[in-house]
Amino acid sequence: MFADLPIDEFRPAIRDWIRENFPAGLRGCRAPTNGHEPPVGPPGEFVLWKQRCADAGLGTPMWPVEFGGAGLDQAKADILAEELLEAGAFNPIAGLGAMMLGPTLLEFGTEEQKRIHLPPIARGDLMWCQGFSEPGAGSDLAALRMRCEDKGDHFLLNGQKVWTSYAHHSDWCFAIARTSTEKKQGGITFLLVDMKSPGLDVRPIQLINGISHFCETFFNDVKVPKENLVGEVNNGWTVAKRLLQHERTSLSSLRRANAKTYDLVSIAQRYCEKAPDGTLADKDLRQRLADHLLSEHAYALTLERRAAEEEAGLNPTTPVSTMKNLGSKVGLQLGELAVEILGNRSMGWEGDGYTSEELELTSLWLHSKCYSIYGGTYEIQNNITAQRELGLPKS
Amino acid sequence: MFADLPIDEFRPAIRDWIRENFPAGLRGCRAPTNGHEPPVGPPGEFVLWKQRCADAGLGTPMWPVEFGGAGLDQAKADILAEELLEAGAFNPIAGLGAMMLGPTLLEFGTEEQKRIHLPPIARGDLMWCQGFSEPGAGSDLAALRMRCEDKGDHFLLNGQKVWTSYAHHSDWCFAIARTSTEKKQGGITFLLVDMKSPGLDVRPIQLINGISHFCETFFNDVKVPKENLVGEVNNGWTVAKRLLQHERTSLSSLRRANAKTYDLVSIAQRYCEKAPDGTLADKDLRQRLADHLLSEHAYALTLERRAAEEEAGLNPTTPVSTMKNLGSKVGLQLGELAVEILGNRSMGWEGDGYTSEELELTSLWLHSKCYSIYGGTYEIQNNITAQRELGLPKS
Amino acid sequence: MTDRAFVPNEEQAMLRESALGWVRENAPISDLRKLRTDNLETGFDPDLFAEMAEMGWTGILVPEDHGGFGFGHASMGLVAEQMGRNLVASPLIGSAVAATDALALFGTEEQKAEWLPRLLSGEIHAAIALEETIAHNPAGVALTACREGDGWILEGHKQPVFDFGKAGLVIVVARTSGAPGDAEGVTLFLCPGDAGGISARRLTQVDSRGAWALAFDGCALGAGSILGEVDKGLPALETVLDRARAVLAAEMIGSTTQAFETTIEYLKTRVQFDQPIGSFQALQHRAAELLSEIELARSAVWAALAAIDAGDDDVPQLTSLAKALAGKAFRRAAQEMVQLHGGIGMTDEHDSGLYLKRAHVTDMTFGSVAFHRDRYARLAGI
Amino acid sequence: MTDRAFVPNEEQAMLRESALGWVRENAPISDLRKLRTDNLETGFDPDLFAEMAEMGWTGILVPEDHGGFGFGHASMGLVAEQMGRNLVASPLIGSAVAATDALALFGTEEQKAEWLPRLLSGEIHAAIALEETIAHNPAGVALTACREGDGWILEGHKQPVFDFGKAGLVIVVARTSGAPGDAEGVTLFLCPGDAGGISARRLTQVDSRGAWALAFDGCALGAGSILGEVDKGLPALETVLDRARAVLAAEMIGSTTQAFETTIEYLKTRVQFDQPIGSFQALQHRAAELLSEIELARSAVWAALAAIDAGDDDVPQLTSLAKALAGKAFRRAAQEMVQLHGGIGMTDEHDSGLYLKRAHVTDMTFGSVAFHRDRYARLAGI
């Protein structure tokens, strides 16, 4: 229905739909940035909202209706995102399945794979994790060594993955493994792995902010049915690279959503001493906070500009790799400034000596350090920008 | 005489000598940072001061007395520099001969070369320039192509040098040229060239601040007598590298002398609006000015620390390449802040719409851009620090 | 999403292409070098400006009912951006943006009829006499205008005044009451360029543009010279300045882009250590970071221009954002242009120095990075 | 040149070597991890502190006539630097520097005789109760001390108070007159750790050190508890703080150096794209730039310590220089440690996070980079 509306009727229609369907109790709740986090808001309301979005296909708005989407184009999907933001609402269907695997399967998957895997993702019923990084293959992903042997009716996986986000809460995993050692990138195969497979062992890794959502994942003679091969054997690097593009895009918009949620201006106004003219008394902090606000604002405008360019059918001027780094810089700045504003109130780890806001911001600061590491490090993105976008020669 | 004094008697003795010999009219004059600039202060006084220093060997204090020096050790030379600064005086014998060629000849030159060339340098009578860089060989100095052929009783030079500072005012040039194309670094020879040689043509290059002290120097069948070879044929790279070390050291201390002369605090106090509490009203500028003062102060302390370490016979903790970059950073910062402080008064190029101080500071800002280029670029110094000092592997 | 006009419409795209083509063909950067020696009375090449007028650029912001095109500031920004590429010297921003907007927004019908057609045709150009002290500070104006009979007498100094030479009209910001720093008491005057009682001294500027120091000594203006309301000129001035700032920022983006592209090209061709220097990773990363800074500024500039044309409330925020980020990006791009070109970048013969000097002057014009960061912070409530 | 003690003398070199050896042998960074789980009443390992006392470190600043060594602050800095390498938790700076200096400089003979020998022997340790608000601001103290009979009653809050657990002595900064912000009216009190009327809440801190929030509610102290002069305590406090700041900055330099060295070692061994990542030029340049920042901070720290020992006038400038630059360098080194270790640097298992958290807490302690930049600027007259 929404897909067929002319674009000028779409905005009021979607606004009405949100007003009618978005549970009031969820207003202003921070959106879960992936599907693995505990539900937010009053009990039941999150589940209700998820169901309603799923029924309308609006959790994965650009997917075809037959696979659980709403069949919207980019322009309408952008309007949807804006109206959600406007209404203090959010997309409840998050996670790697919706953001990364789905679009990739739509391009590379078989009809059967799409039919089986996409609808549960679109409904938020099944959660996916990403089995890419290995202990010796971080930035140099193609150096991966997990063995994948063709055993006739199935593949056999042996090896170890690391930094598998939420592996311990996931139903499925999309993974890349080595089917040939002859070529580095040309010996990689892309597979869908059921996390309940025998021989698969998951151990959470604790991060510097005390939270564990990354895991080490061990594969010990894990069998994967042949129908779970995406693309062709030894051609998985092509699939994985496309998936990583989706990752960069979604990470840079997520960062923005995050930055919108933590309002440093309001925190500074509540915590910091004021000068008689109402400005912050600490001019040193104020200057740096202002610099951050400038970056954050211009970053948000750059996202808008890219969307407008895409809408107009143009190639976006600003490369995705640049967006990823800008997003992580803004996020890192936000973390640093948050703890600096809190000053002596930013040293807390846990316990009731600090407010939950203070503890959350301190934890955010520590967590923000991963923005420039995961989803392709800051350094890798700069290489991509320089070589692929600016055309500078490889050394 | 000064060389034989015990160190505790040296300081008062040198202080007395300065008081007796330094012409009052020169007090507070900016030291000429090389020997090519026009004399400073009242007529005759600069020449007098130069003569007195030369007679005492104090222009090249660490050189042996027989070659025109004073035979001082590092500790005493440092004390001399401090006392000059303290008295508002300066070393009048500057230039590439005193700072770079002299120490190099003392190590690599023949007795005859030292006897002929060092005394006129020590007296400030003859000026030297450096013929190293070529149009295709900037940071990659060893890529130089100027041909040097052995013609039996002389060498024959053909080719072009660039960035030859003050070539148009120099009497001699130390240069490197290619005697063999078999090895890149191992085919280079170090020569002393009389600037009056036939076939030698000098063209000044105008810089972005309108001043020309760099030149292009063209060599067209220039003959160089065999006795002007320093070191051995094809071994000139070793000599040149040592000379460049002397260059880095002297550049980083010159930078300091420069920074001492332009007092941004006083300029800011004269030009900028004040807040009621006496601090600068523009807090944004104030913060950055403070940051600069911190760097400048710590850089000066680092020079002191290196001197103390050398005095104690230790290897300096901070590498020369690091010092060069720190010095150029402080100098660049100073230039940027100077024009920012002057604001609308910093746009002048010439003429009487601006004071001479304003024009000088604007010119300094533009000139400062070369700090991170000449004497080995910022990038080259970072490579040296990373690979030679920190032991990081070459790519 | 309000339509931020991030993507030019067909008309604008055509305007941009024609401006870019004209700049490349007819206004090479060597023209700027010529200005340094030619010492023209105007400080810019009047023939070049006549061509701009002929192409209609002086009418982009003139309302249609006064014979102009009323295209808006995004269009003007597209033209300014192309001019910025080659550092083209012209009075376009002072005359066809600031003065034209001032008249169009705050002029009486009589004033508009008197001045707009002449500005539109390029018969005259206008200048803005605002700056007095070392730092941009619109409320800080000290030059006084006192009533005498029906008219006014102006006394005081202005420096720098860009493009004053042979200007037909000067918009003078004066104090009619209160003390320097007061928001009240600022008034805008329309002053003929050849009015008596003004002595002008030509300044020689680092960016080779024409700038003057003016001394007003008994400069008498008639009753009709008031633009807008007496004593209430500051908000009008800020509105006009924001428009000029946004278009100047667009010009700066053009200069920045050209400096960046020239540098990237050099990185691809200059060989050291047997490799193009652009293959060195440290330089690659600096190029990537510079690009990201330029992209942020670009977004801010087009958002500001679009907000002006849409009449949005957040013009002051967006303009300060744009001017601050363009100032940072231009300075950094010019600095890297010099540094990455090495020795040759330090020579007058190379264009790097021209961009560096222009970066400094444009940053100082209509408020520096520091000024606009502070203004943005105030508007953000901190 | 005043002798800035940039080069340790023989005695100091021995002290440094022995401290470094002890830290490497007996105080590995795993001790800090143990503190997180052991939840000791002290917040530090008392056995480790006893060893430090045995080695004489608690007596480095105790004057010789009270049984100490009177070695000076450069020596204490050398010890602190080695402790910093492994992020060793101990009350050394609060107790053996701040409290010891406060007593030695401003205590009566009676007070010195009562407390110094016990601090020297390690029988007790002392804490400083200064901070109340979110930002370091010595004149901002609001906790009140009112006369009652011969003695004083303290009312108010302090947070964070480091190493309060089982402290024998707490130096409390209180307001005896005036309002928060006034320079006059600040007084230092010697308060036994077990004094009545204090309720303490243990805080769990990111850097795993022991810190407490104290509520003073009718805490009664005797007449002899005044340290120095009533109402005139601020200059004394600043003198004591500058000493603690300089030694803390030395500790920070040790931590920074270790973070840097660990990172450089990793760059040499970690292979990606078939090369050690340390061969990538972009990382090499960041390493070189980080080194230059560390070297600046190092020079400032040793100059500050030497100036304290020489009784020079420029101690406040040099201390603010040292603390600001050490704060910047430590933060940047820790940030790069996480970033350049990649994923592993984000894990709790790796030490990067411990350095990052400590960098933050030490920067906030006794004044942050921003505080000291402002103080330095004021002293420089801008």
Side-chain angles (χ1 to χ4, degrees), chain B residues 135-136 138-140 163 205-208 271 284 336 341 344-347 349 354 365 369 372 379, chain C residues 131 133-134 159 204-206 270 272-273 286 331 335 339 343-344 346-348 353 357 360 364 370 373:
Chain B
S139 287
D140 184 11
W163 313 124
I205 305 169
Q206 197 176 16
L207 290 191
I208 57 175
Y271 274 88
D284 189 294
E336 287 291 333
I341 290 168
N344 282 332
R345 308 286 320 167
S346 69
M347 299 179 188
W349 180 253
Y354 296 93
W365 162 61
K369 299 302 174 195
S372 51
E379 291 74 20
Chain C
E131 302 292 335
T133 54
I134 64 160
Q159 174 177 352
T204 310
Q205 304 279 94
V206 283
R270 166 76 171 174
Q272 291 276 275
F273 304 105
R286 272 157 59 185
R331 266 191 198 279
Q335 164 73 44
Q339 177 70 23
I344 189 80
M346 276 300 294
T347 64
D348 182 70
K357 295 167 201 171
H360 176 57
M364 291 291 141
R373 182 158 43 210

Side-chain angles (χ1 to χ4, degrees), chain C residues 9-10 68 112 128 148 165-166 171 188 193 219 229-231 233 271 294 308-309 317 319 329 336 345 357 363 373:
Chain C
N9 61 31
E10 213 173 310
K112 288 187 212 180
I128 306 291
E148 179 159 293
K166 304 232 139 200
I171 300 202
L188 305 182
C219 170
E229 285 182 72
V230 174
D231 284 350
V271 172
I294 296 171
I308 291 169
D309 289 336
Q317 284 93 323
T319 305
E336 286 286 31
K357 295 167 201 171
D363 179 23
R373 182 158 43 210

Side-chain angles (χ1 to χ4, degrees), chain A residues 134-141 143 163 184 205-210 214 271-273 282 284-285 288 332 336 339-354 359 362 365-370 372-373 377-380 383, chain D residues 36 131-137 159-160 162 201-207 211 270-274 282-283 286 331 335-336 338-350 352-354 356-357 360-361 364-365 368-371 373-374:
Chain A
E134 298 186 7
S139 287
D140 183 12
L141 208 50
W163 312 122
K184 189 172 174 183
I205 304 169
Q206 197 177 17
L207 290 192
I208 58 174
N209 62 342
F214 288 116
Y271 274 88
C272 298
E273 212 186 314
D282 180 346
D284 190 295
L285 171 64
R288 281 173 293 119
L332 283 163
E336 286 292 332
V339 289
E340 193 183 340
I341 290 168
L342 295 185
N344 282 332
R345 308 287 320 167
S346 68
M347 300 178 189
W349 180 252
E350 58 183 26
D352 54 3
Y354 296 93
L359 292 174
T362 306
W365 162 61
L366 289 166
H367 181 255
S368 70
K369 300 301 172 195
C370 79
S372 50
I373 297 172
T377 62
Y378 187 80
E379 291 74 20
I380 291 290
N383 288 346
Chain D
R36 306 197 294 187
E131 302 293 334
E132 300 180 16
T133 55
I134 65 160
H136 179 70
N137 178 10
Q159 175 178 349
F162 295 112
R201 171 156 68 180
R202 174 73 182 266
L203 302 169
T204 310
Q205 306 280 94
V206 284
D207 70 342
R270 167 75 171 173
V271 172
Q272 291 277 274
F273 305 104
D274 305 319
L283 305 194
R286 271 156 61 184
R331 266 191 198 278
Q335 164 71 41
E336 286 286 29
V338 174
Q339 178 69 24
L340 295 178
H341 279 81
I344 188 81
M346 277 301 294
T347 64
D348 183 70
E349 187 188 7
H350 196 264
S352 296
L354 303 177
L356 184 68
K357 295 167 199 171
H360 177 56
V361 173
M364 291 291 141
T365 303
S368 67
V369 174
F371 176 91
R373 183 160 41 209
D374 177 66

Side-chain angles (χ1 to χ4, degrees), chain D residues 20-28 86:
Chain D
L20 180 59
W22 181 83
V23 166
R24 290 215 164 122
E25 286 294 308
N26 303 324
N86 280 0

